[in-house]
Amino acid sequence: EAKAGARRMGEKIEMGEHLQEGWLEARLREEMPYVDDAGFTARVVQLLPVKRASSRLRAAILFIAAALASVLAFSISDGGRFVLDGVVRLSALSLFSIYLLALGCGIVGTIVAGTAALSRVRHSS
């Protein structure tokens, strides 16, 4: 429909351009008159805090620290033996207990997700 409207106006639209930006938005941007603000915008931009560039070194340090912490936790926990112990305990539960556990996890997950969604909606308005 957007392509047909653009063709009627005598414009040629490429598929990549259409995906990146709507033809109507581009047309409105082209026709928008310049409003002289006597340098107000430039002064406001200069007052904004400088954005720190992301550092690859910082990312590498965080990755290495996380990897070392994981290896340390694995070795302290006797090679992850607690995971095997947990699986053995779960296998000893009755089917009804497993059902209740899954239901409880689902309810808790729903409450957490709902709270996060409501929080996001409140902050965006």
Side-chain angles (χ1 to χ4, degrees), residues 52-62:
R52 291 188 333 176
S54 61
S55 170
R56 290 185 182 210
L57 178 63
R58 184 178 184 189
I61 289 172
L62 287 173

Side-chain angles (χ1 to χ4, degrees), residues 105-121:
C105 289
I107 290 172
V108 169
T110 302
I111 290 170
V112 168
T115 304
L118 286 175
S119 172
R120 189 170 211 174
V121 167

Side-chain angles (χ1 to χ4, degrees), residues 88-107:
V88 168
R89 286 186 187 145
L90 280 176
S91 66
L93 292 176
S94 69
L95 189 58
F96 183 71
S97 299
I98 294 173
Y99 171 75
L100 288 178
L101 181 65
L103 182 66
C105 289
I107 290 172

Side-chain angles (χ1 to χ4, degrees), residues 18-90:
H18 179 64
L19 292 176
Q20 291 178 357
E21 166 176 285
W23 65 271
L24 181 59
E25 291 175 17
R27 183 78 174 213
L28 289 172
R29 191 174 301 115
E30 289 171 0
E31 295 177 3
M32 184 180 301
Y34 176 75
V35 177
D36 186 20
D37 62 0
F40 175 75
T41 303
R43 288 191 306 271
V44 169
V45 169
Q46 286 177 353
L47 293 175
L48 292 174
V50 178
K51 182 179 178 185
R52 291 188 333 176
S54 61
S55 170
R56 290 185 182 210
L57 178 63
R58 184 178 184 189
I61 289 172
L62 287 173
F63 179 77
I64 291 170
L68 288 175
S70 298
V71 168
L72 182 65
F74 185 77
S75 63
I76 290 175
S77 69
D78 194 24
R81 180 132 179 109
F82 68 94
V83 175
L84 181 61
D85 291 341
V87 170
V88 168
R89 286 186 187 145
L90 280 176

